[in-house]
Amino acid sequence: MAKVLVVTSGKGGVGKTTTTAALGAALAQSGQNVVVIDFDVGLRNLDLVMGAERRVVFDFINVVQGDAKLSQALIRDKRCETLSILPASQTRDKDALTAEGVAQVIDELREKFDWIICDSPAGIERGAQMAMYHADVAVVVTNPEVSSVRDSDRIIGMLDSTTEKAKNGEKVEKHLLMTRYDPSRAAKGEMLNTEDVLEILSIPLLGIVPESEEVLRASNVGSPVTLSNPESAPARAYFDAARRLQGEKLEIQIPIERKGLLDWLFKKRVA
Amino acid sequence: MTDQTTSADLDPAPARAPMRIRARGRSFLALVLSPEAPLDAWLEGLDNQIARSVGFFAGRPVILDLGLVAQDAEGLEGLQTALKERSIHMIGIEGADRSWPALAAWDWPASLEGGRASGAVEFPEAEGEAPAPVEAAPQRAESLIIDRAIRSGQSIMHLDGDVVVIGSVASGAELVAGGSIHIYGALRGRAIAGVGGQPNARIFAARMQAELLAIDGFYMIAEEMDAEIHDQPAQALLSEDRVTVTKLP
């Protein structure tokens, strides 16, 4: 049974697109059929992070408006054949998405894929609403800082009231994914700690992704971090999150970079 | 605010000279579609054409000629809806009568006069040597010259002539021209030339890094482009229904 998952946050720059790509690639590597959809019409980025920008011909808007078939717009990942991307349009805006059109596309995708991962734009306006409307599962991406937490709280409220599930009296399954977590700053008390965030948002924790240069490197080479460097700390956090999404019970831990003695010495000298 | 009244509201309206209305002429080439029975097979053929030349009907006025269809043809009631679903913008209906029972539910556009027949319009991908005679009497096409960079997300449409850009076209920007496209800068976005049937249109760029190149409905994506041409002065043209990119001398 296909699941529609929305990656959302309210606030911008917290790591929605990185998370969409990394979770999508992690689920796809476990043999699931996955499609990632960019709902950020007008400011698309997912194609870049997935390394598909040189292969875009038709996009989500073309499909929604009936100018192209879904099969023409889907781009299959070259590194992982169970992973596909449906890119957004850069030359249009969010008004080009119609509720009926989006519903039709999602219905069609449900027949072909196990996971449909919707990368929500920042904000709480039309684009974000469209991205979450059909969701069965939501991953709320939050940074350990007050503004991000408050925006996430707002988004959780919307997930409980404006989605299709909410309108049918059902609940969207919600998970918190803490990203850009810096263990050394957390130790010094410079960041909100996880317990506080969980207490405020009161939704279950899906994982903690540490702040890492690896994430930046991955998006610059156009690859989800779970494909480009599966051994890195953020990739391991995303793999664990993907397993939890599939129902496995795993203890939450904060992965740290595995460093040799030489790395440690080198770091010391540079600093 | 509501209780304030300006003197103009109190005074009787001053007598004014009647406003002169200006009108300008503009001609469009309307396509005449003549469905034939059986209509479902005809619609299937139409879908195939649309699939091969996406956007061909977008923004084009269409006149429906029902002269070849009997008034009791199967599926005639639903034909108008079927065409609307395919984004075909109908401006007139010919060869039929409003009294036909099958057409009772149809929206009947106001009738048009003064149309002049022109040659057959070929679909962009259609085979054949002769370029499609799109304009009955070719009009002087004007170039659109843009003296600035085109930013990501901007879309420039100029359907009746060339587009010249003095600057770069960013990734995520789009140029659409009826004629050729000339870019004196880097082309990093999409360039779509020869829209509406001009297979001879070309795309020139001082630095070719395009995301997508299309001429007369045929396209090529960045990935298919030769790495040697990347960031070089280059042109794209249509040769045997394929977009070909070559370095400029």
Side-chain angles (χ1 to χ4, degrees), chain A residues 37 47 126 135 200 205 235 249-250:
Chain A
I37 313 180
D47 57 325
R126 190 181 167 83
I200 298 168
L205 185 62
K249 297 262 180 287
L250 294 171

Side-chain angles (χ1 to χ4, degrees), chain A residues 39 41 60-61 63-66 92-106 126 130 133-134:
Chain A
F39 270 82
V41 180
F60 191 16
I61 300 298
V63 180
V64 164
Q65 299 190 334
R92 310 294 294 273
D93 60 36
K94 271 106 186 154
D95 295 337
L97 288 174
T98 60
E100 306 79 44
V102 172
Q104 217 169 5
V105 172
I106 297 278
R126 190 181 167 83
M130 288 273 183
Y133 188 75
H134 299 279

Side-chain angles (χ1 to χ4, degrees), chain A residues 137-166:
Chain A
V137 185
V139 169
V140 180
V141 181
T142 306
N143 293 165
E145 45 160 312
V146 272
S147 57
S148 175
V149 171
R150 187 163 67 186
D151 291 1
S152 291
D153 198 37
R154 180 83 208 266
I155 281 289
I156 293 169
M158 286 171 65
L159 286 165
D160 287 336
S161 60
T162 63
T163 55
E164 190 177 30
K165 281 225 145 150

Side-chain angles (χ1 to χ4, degrees), chain B residues 104-128:
Chain B
W106 283 38
D107 285 333
W108 209 270
S111 59
L112 300 165
E113 287 176 6
R116 209 158 19 96
S118 70
V121 173
E122 300 201 17
F123 283 83
E125 47 54 61
E127 294 158 16

Side-chain angles (χ1 to χ4, degrees), chain B residues 92-106:
Chain B
I93 300 170
E94 292 178 358
D97 202 82
R98 230 184 261 244
S99 62
W100 291 10
L103 308 185
W106 283 38

Side-chain angles (χ1 to χ4, degrees), chain A residues 9 42 55 61 70 85 90 92-93 98 123 141 196 209 234:
Chain A
S9 70
R55 301 166 66 199
I61 300 298
L70 187 56
I85 168 174
Q90 180 77 349
R92 310 294 294 273
D93 60 36
T98 60
V141 181
D196 291 346
V209 182

